[in-house]
């Protein structure tokens, strides 16, 4: 099937994970994404975190966020490098960057300069804390700008904890923010298609964190609350919402917000039909009034059976629930398999690597992923497509403009 962004050309001058993750999504959606790297490469290439068979080192961070791109090495500090970039931008639809404003200005790739030369291009940037304000030129990463400054860590940290809770994995805030930037770019493409007007768009790590935390932020802004408490053993108002430990030390997560709608079915499949008519538990109001007893009974009930037993029982009623899974279990999840959420990608050397699919399903199918490029793998072919002959390419390499 055709991909939704086929025919769109993106030139990416970015490093690490946030904005490159956006470029990877655009690539999976069908865009041609040309990644401009300095001769030393994107520093993310040095963060190898996985090893797969045969002694080959596979940098899964690099593969995840740079899927399907073309790599061209250019020293944008040299005039010749900026000249090549300008030729690449002649027919580009999107310029994508996360360099800080002073670096963009010094290299002549700030929004005013790029849009002045190429007025139809969409200029898209990712920033730590937004394009305006006293910290707009301050560096940032997801662990600080998203997780710490954005209120996520504080909201997850229990009272009196020794340290604030850290991110659950590499680039957690980066990938969420990259997805938001991808959405903004698609909106800008739609606007340009309908009106002919290009846009300058920015998405920040801080802004994305606040979007994710918006309910708490709105509440605290309204009533002046500094922090919503997170006690170590919160008592539920609705016992059908929460996490329960099973007999084999696993957890089941319930989210039956319409408690009275699901209480009878839950009690019947759980072997507790007497709770349906028990005056202490007969409805949500009664259960709330007797929450200590009810919560203790439900906890004891879940502790009496294994996770496998609960999956079977809960599957027989209509209330909403899911097991609390480890990341290593996800590849075996029946829904993950059915929807091809984890894809097997040809690495090009006789081996394969697993990559998580972009979470967009078009016409019933997810977008197929591809591996990322080696450093400078496409420099020669891209330069040749711009009109550089072999002698000119060699000259750029001798000058250190191209790797």
């Amino acid at each position: 099937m055709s991909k939704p962004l086929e025919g769109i050309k993106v030139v990416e001058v970015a490093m690490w994970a946030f904005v490159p993750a956006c470029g990877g999504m655009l690539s999976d959606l069908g865009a041609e994404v040309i990644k401009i790297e300095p001769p030393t490469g994107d520093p993310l290439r040095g963060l190898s975190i996985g090893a797969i068979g045969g002694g080959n080192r596979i940098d899964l961070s690099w593969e995840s966020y740079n899927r399907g791109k073309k790599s061209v090495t250019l020293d944008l500090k040299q005039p010749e490098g900026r000249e090549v970039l300008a030729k690449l931008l002649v027919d580009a639809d999107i310029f994508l960057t996360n360099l800080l404003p002073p670096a963009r200005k010094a290299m002549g790739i700030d929004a005013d300069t790029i849009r002045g030369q190429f007025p139809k291009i969409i200029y898209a940037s990712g920033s730590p804390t937004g394009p305006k304000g006293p910290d707009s030129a301050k560096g940032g990463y997801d662990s600080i700008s998203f997780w710490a400054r954005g209120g996520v860590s504080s909201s997850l940290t229990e009272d009196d904890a020794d340290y604030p809770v850290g991110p659950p994995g590499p680039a957690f805030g980066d990938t969420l923010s990259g997805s938001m930037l991808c959405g903004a770019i698609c909106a800008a493409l739609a606007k340009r298609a309908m009106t002919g007007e290009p846009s300058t768009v920015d998405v920040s790590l801080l802004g994305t964190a606040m979007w994710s935390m918006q309910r708490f932020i709105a509440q605290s802004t309204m009533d002046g609350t500094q922090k919503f408490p997170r006690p170590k053993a919160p008592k539920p108002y609705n016992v059908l919402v929460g996490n329960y430990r099973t007999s084999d030390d696993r957890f089941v997560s319930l989210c039956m917000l319409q408690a009275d709608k699901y209480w009878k079915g839950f009690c019947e499949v759980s072997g507790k039909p007497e709770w349906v008519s028990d005056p202490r538990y007969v409805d949500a109001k009664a259960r709330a009034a007797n929450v200590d007893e009810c919560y203790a009974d439900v906890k004891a009930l879940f502790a009496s059976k294994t996770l496998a037993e609960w999956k079977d029982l809960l599957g027989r009623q209509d209330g909403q629930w899911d097991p609390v899974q480890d990341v290593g279990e996800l590849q075996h999840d029946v829904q993950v398999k059915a929807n091809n959420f984890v894809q097997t990608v040809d690495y090009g050397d006789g081996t394969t690597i697993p990559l998580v699919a972009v979470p967009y399903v078009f016409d019933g199918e997810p977008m197929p992923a591809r591996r990322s490029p080696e450093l400078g793998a496409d420099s020669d072919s891209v330069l040749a497509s711009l009109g550089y002959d072999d002698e000119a390419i060699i000259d750029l390499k001798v000058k250190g403009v191209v790797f």
Side-chain angles (χ1 to χ4, degrees):
M1 70 175 191
S2 62
K3 295 183 178 181
L5 294 184
E6 285 182 5
I8 297 296
K9 178 179 176 181
V10 181
V11 176
E12 175 189 306
V13 180
M15 58 186 65
W16 299 111
F18 166 18
V19 170
C22 170
M25 293 187 76
L26 295 171
S27 173
D28 270 9
L29 289 169
E32 178 190 23
V33 181
I34 300 174
K35 182 179 180 72
I36 305 301
E37 299 187 66
T40 53
D42 183 331
L44 184 67
R45 287 183 180 274
L47 296 180
S48 185
I49 61 172
I52 298 181
N56 294 321
R57 295 291 293 177
I58 308 292
D59 186 337
L60 291 175
S61 289
W62 175 259
E63 294 296 332
S64 296
Y65 315 133
N66 292 282
R67 54 182 72 199
K69 300 177 186 177
K70 296 178 179 178
S71 172
V72 174
T73 58
L74 283 180
D75 185 353
L76 296 179
K77 295 178 181 178
Q78 297 193 48
E80 293 92 338
R82 294 193 291 274
E83 181 181 327
V84 174
L85 178 65
K87 291 185 178 182
L88 281 170
L89 292 175
V90 168
D91 61 347
D93 297 283
I94 301 154
F95 179 75
L96 184 59
T97 187
N98 66 351
L99 271 61
L100 292 174
R104 292 186 223 168
K105 191 73 174 178
M107 294 181 184
I109 58 171
D110 56 290
D112 289 342
T113 302
I114 295 293
R115 291 292 300 280
Q117 292 177 286
F118 309 100
K120 291 297 184 181
I121 203 167
I122 293 168
Y123 189 99
S125 59
S127 63
T129 59
K132 298 180 180 179
D135 290 344
S136 59
K138 180 179 181 289
Y141 290 92
D142 68 327
S143 62
I144 54 177
S145 307
F146 177 97
W147 194 257
R149 190 168 183 169
V152 183
S153 177
S154 173
S155 296
L156 288 171
T157 301
E158 294 177 345
D159 295 343
D160 302 321
D162 291 334
Y163 299 98
V165 172
F172 184 82
D174 286 329
T175 50
L176 293 177
S177 302
S179 301
M180 293 290 281
L181 183 56
C182 180
I185 288 170
C186 289
L189 285 169
K191 176 188 174 184
R192 194 183 67 174
M194 292 185 290
T195 69
E197 298 177 9
S199 301
T200 298
V201 300
D202 183 90
V203 168
S204 67
L205 292 162
L206 176 60
T208 302
M210 293 184 67
W211 176 259
S212 302
M213 295 291 298
Q214 60 180 287
R215 177 61 181 82
F216 273 6
I217 293 171
Q219 186 72 47
S220 64
T221 303
M222 181 181 295
D223 62 21
T225 302
Q226 174 72 16
K227 178 183 178 181
F228 293 92
R230 192 175 184 86
K232 292 185 178 180
K235 183 191 302 183
Y237 178 79
N238 173 5
V239 295
L240 292 186
V241 175
N243 299 300
Y244 290 95
R245 187 187 296 272
T246 63
S247 63
D248 52 348
D249 283 328
R250 297 298 302 273
F251 287 92
V252 175
S253 185
L254 308 182
C255 193
M256 304 183 199
L257 299 174
Q258 296 170 281
D260 283 341
K261 178 179 179 180
Y262 300 116
W263 180 249
K264 180 180 179 181
F266 168 78
C267 293
E268 289 177 346
V269 301
S270 301
K272 293 291 182 180
E274 66 272 19
W275 285 358
V276 177
S277 57
D278 189 321
R280 299 172 302 161
Y281 305 155
V282 68
D283 57 23
K285 184 177 180 180
R287 290 191 296 275
N290 298 280
V291 67
D292 290 331
E293 295 172 80
C294 191
Y295 187 39
D297 281 346
V298 174
K299 285 198 296 184
L301 176 63
F302 273 94
S304 69
K305 296 178 174 62
T306 66
L307 175 62
E309 290 174 311
W310 278 115
K311 289 168 73 173
D312 176 59
L313 292 172
L314 292 172
R316 303 177 192 176
Q317 53 86 59
D318 295 330
Q320 296 78 28
W321 65 278
D322 265 313
V324 177
Q325 297 193 129
D326 297 326
V327 292
E329 294 177 288
L330 289 172
Q331 61 185 302
H332 306 297
D333 188 301
V334 293
Q335 286 301 113
V336 171
K337 289 183 174 181
N339 291 281
N340 199 21
F341 288 156
V342 176
Q343 300 183 3
T344 299
V345 175
D346 183 359
Y347 199 66
D349 61 358
T351 64
T352 59
I353 59 172
L355 287 179
V356 175
V358 167
Y360 299 151
V361 177
F362 281 83
D363 302 318
E365 296 295 332
M367 298 291 99
R370 296 168 293 163
R371 65 153 298 184
S372 67
E374 299 290 346
L375 178 61
D378 305 285
S379 294
D380 287 6
S381 61
V382 170
L383 287 170
S385 72
L386 297 175
Y388 289 87
D389 59 23
D390 290 345
E391 186 176 343
I393 294 173
I394 292 172
D395 183 56
L396 289 173
K397 290 181 177 181
V398 170
K399 292 178 178 178
V401 176
V402 178
F403 175 75

